[in-house]
Amino acid sequence: PTQYGPVQGRAREDGTLCWYGIPYGAAPTGEDRWTSPREPARWRTVRDCTAPAPAAYQYTSFPLGTEDCLTLDIYSVPEAKKRPVLVYLHGSAFSGSPQELPGSALVRDTGCVFVALSYRLGLFGWNCLPALTAGSDAAGNFALLDILRALDWVKENIHHFGGDGANITLCGFSDGGRIAAALAASPLSRGRFQRAAALSGGWSLADPDTSAHQLAERFAPLAVEDGLFPDPASAAGWLLTPGADVREWLCGLEPARIAALGAPSILYADEALLPRDARSAVPLLLLSSATEFSGLVRDDLRPASSAARAYAVKYGSALCRWSSTEAVAEALGGSAPVWLGLIDYGGADSQTTIPGLGSFHGLPLALFSSESSYSACADLSSAGAQALSAQLKQALAGFMTSGSPGWDVWTPQDRDALHFDADSETACITFNSYPDTQESIRAAMAADTSLSDAEKETVEHLYFSGFSF
């Protein structure tokens, strides 16, 4: 049973149970496209939740998914009772689905109940045009409002699935990690979860006024296409007004036209939801891989020379490591404890290298589950990799149950971080100070003679402009 009606899941061959696509909110369509999520309609007959639900509406090379996306997946076991709950946010604010990380392995190996969320993506989840933010939804962070509603659903209903609604850990990967860290610092999150884990995430807030102007320019050609204005400039001016006519036009657009406009900024600063000076009120676990940037040097932007590619991967990875761990700790730490972990496995300094990718973006998910979207990137079947997987899961289990992953907290003075590595047979865990600082990365880039200054400028413009550096 759930508060809105009964649901039927299925038993997997590994002995775990799974329910897919349980509604936690009504479809955000029509006039509700950009509002706080509403309650779902109640149902009396048993709802079939035995197959994955469609992903949230998104655009990769073509549109896919549905706007009726406010659903969640739950993984548990028959004997579960008052287990810690892990609520997972997948790795992109613009595409993807809860299927990125199936929860069965974590349920078996960490003793949790696993919940994966689907929520509004792209311009459906992040839109701060004045006509959409004139009321109570002042921030324009509609995806965050979805997640807060889902957390309320979990708190009220997860006991039916063997979970403890008073022991919830919010966990996210990549953009999902950024969102988890942001919500850890949000005043509106108080009491909704007890700790947060951000995997390869980061911390930054977008200025809502700047973002609104960018959004107006992006939507303006559609208004010209519809014959509302003769040119994009006048259309953009109209889109920056708070009028009901703007809202009516936006809510009436075909979703494919919206999705095709591309990815907006996310996490708009707002004093109610995301204050710029907020600190995390819950314990934070921050995890990054050593070579995060190896898979992010895109084919369509890749520099021609191997030296330029090596420069992009080396310093992009350093920036990713720093921005997703110590930069977050510096920005949000202080009110609650923070732990830092670095996965060195696969990288250049590892006892086991992964050719081409190193310790890649997504490696934590592959170590958490052989069913994850990143599992095909590397062979992790060796005894050493499996021992490393067990160590990571043990750290996560400790964090969920006791509030500590099992090593000393990070402080600005000690800068402690646990390093995860493995040889072919065993896990190799070491405890050292964090290896980089913002200043040391900048100094190393300046001293690097593998590229000319002009080549460095090209690479840094293509890849590093998104970092606060």
Side-chain angles (χ1 to χ4, degrees):
T2 74
Q3 71 188 101
Y4 298 109
V7 294
Q8 178 179 339
R10 67 179 180 90
R12 289 167 48 99
E13 292 182 0
D14 58 12
T16 58
L17 309 175
C18 184
W19 293 260
Y20 295 106
I22 302 176
Y24 66 83
T29 57
E31 294 182 357
D32 291 335
R33 177 175 279 163
W34 288 290
T35 65
S36 295
R38 316 298 188 195
E39 285 191 303
R42 297 177 183 271
W43 61 91
R44 294 185 178 180
T45 59
V46 175
R47 187 183 187 97
D48 185 351
C49 293
T50 59
Y57 207 98
Q58 56 196 269
Y59 192 99
T60 51
S61 55
F62 55 88
L64 60 88
T66 176
E67 287 190 85
D68 188 5
C69 63
L70 303 188
T71 64
L72 50 82
D73 300 345
I74 300 176
Y75 296 78
S76 188
V77 289
E79 66 272 19
K81 185 176 182 181
K82 212 165 187 182
R83 288 187 168 202
V85 180
L86 187 70
V87 176
Y88 179 73
L89 309 176
H90 63 75
S92 174
F94 317 114
S95 61
S97 80
Q99 300 306 304
E100 172 183 85
L101 180 63
S104 292
L106 288 173
V107 166
R108 291 194 314 269
D109 298 338
T110 69
C112 71
V113 170
F114 183 92
V115 182
L117 302 187
S118 180
Y119 46 90
R120 282 174 280 187
L121 300 175
L123 288 162
F124 301 98
W126 314 96
N127 196 328
C128 59
L129 285 172
L132 307 178
T133 59
S136 59
D137 302 322
N141 296 297
F142 298 103
L144 295 188
L145 301 179
D146 295 344
I147 294 164
L148 292 175
R149 167 165 274 283
L151 288 164
D152 289 341
W153 188 100
V154 170
K155 185 175 181 180
E156 294 298 321
N157 293 275
I158 203 63
H159 63 282
H160 294 302
F161 304 85
D164 182 0
N167 185 5
I168 298 172
T169 297
L170 184 64
C171 176
F173 165 67
S174 196
D175 279 343
R178 291 178 62 193
I179 293 170
L183 286 174
S186 171
L188 298 187
S189 294
R190 303 295 186 266
R192 284 181 156 115
F193 56 93
Q194 283 63 53
R195 58 198 64 86
L199 317 177
S200 305
W203 171 250
S204 63
L205 295 180
D207 177 72
D209 291 334
T210 301
S211 298
H213 279 80
Q214 293 169 346
L215 289 168
E217 292 176 359
R218 192 170 297 186
F219 276 95
L222 300 187
V224 174
E225 288 176 14
D226 289 350
L228 300 180
F229 293 92
D231 58 82
S234 54
W238 173 68
L239 284 160
L240 287 170
T241 66
D245 55 338
V246 178
R247 181 184 185 89
E248 182 179 1
W249 177 76
L250 289 168
C251 290
L253 289 172
E254 288 294 321
R257 298 178 73 196
I258 298 171
L261 295 178
S265 300
I266 68 171
L267 298 173
Y268 307 124
D270 172 76
E271 287 308 307
L273 186 58
L274 294 179
R276 292 186 182 275
D277 59 350
R279 299 279 176 164
S280 176
V282 299
L284 271 176
L285 174 60
L286 306 173
L287 191 67
S288 178
S289 300
T291 326
E292 293 272 4
F293 223 66
S294 60
L296 304 180
V297 180
R298 292 163 43 192
D299 288 337
D300 58 335
L301 296 179
R302 182 172 297 166
S305 72
S306 59
R309 174 173 168 75
Y311 182 95
V313 171
K314 179 178 180 179
Y315 296 110
S317 294
L319 286 167
C320 280
R321 287 195 306 269
W322 172 76
S323 65
S324 62
T325 51
E326 195 161 61
V328 181
E330 291 172 352
L332 301 184
S335 299
V338 181
W339 291 266
L340 267 56
L342 296 175
I343 301 178
D344 296 327
Y345 182 84
D349 298 326
S350 170
Q351 300 191 46
T352 305
T353 59
I354 299 176
L357 286 177
S359 182
F360 57 89
H361 189 69
L363 180 57
L365 304 192
L367 290 166
F368 281 145
S369 172
S370 61
E371 297 180 281
S372 85
S373 298
Y374 292 86
S375 297
C377 294
D379 181 2
L380 301 176
S381 61
S382 72
Q386 289 302 300
L388 177 59
S389 170
Q391 289 281 349
L392 277 173
K393 291 174 183 176
Q394 180 181 336
L396 183 60
F399 186 62
M400 289 189 289
T401 54
S402 70
S404 169
W407 64 88
D408 290 347
V409 298
W410 174 91
T411 67
Q413 295 75 34
D414 296 330
R415 305 179 65 239
D416 292 325
L418 197 71
H419 291 249
F420 293 87
D421 197 2
D423 57 26
S424 60
E425 296 295 331
T426 61
C428 307
I429 310 299
T430 57
F431 191 64
N432 300 303
S433 293
Y434 190 82
D436 305 312
T437 65
Q438 185 178 12
E439 292 75 18
S440 70
I441 299 171
R442 183 187 292 115
M445 291 167 65
D448 193 305
T449 59
S450 63
L451 298 181
S452 68
D453 289 345
E455 289 173 316
K456 288 182 183 180
E457 184 177 350
T458 298
V459 171
E460 291 167 19
H461 172 73
L462 287 174
Y463 293 111
F464 303 161
S465 58
F467 292 105
S468 298
F469 184 68

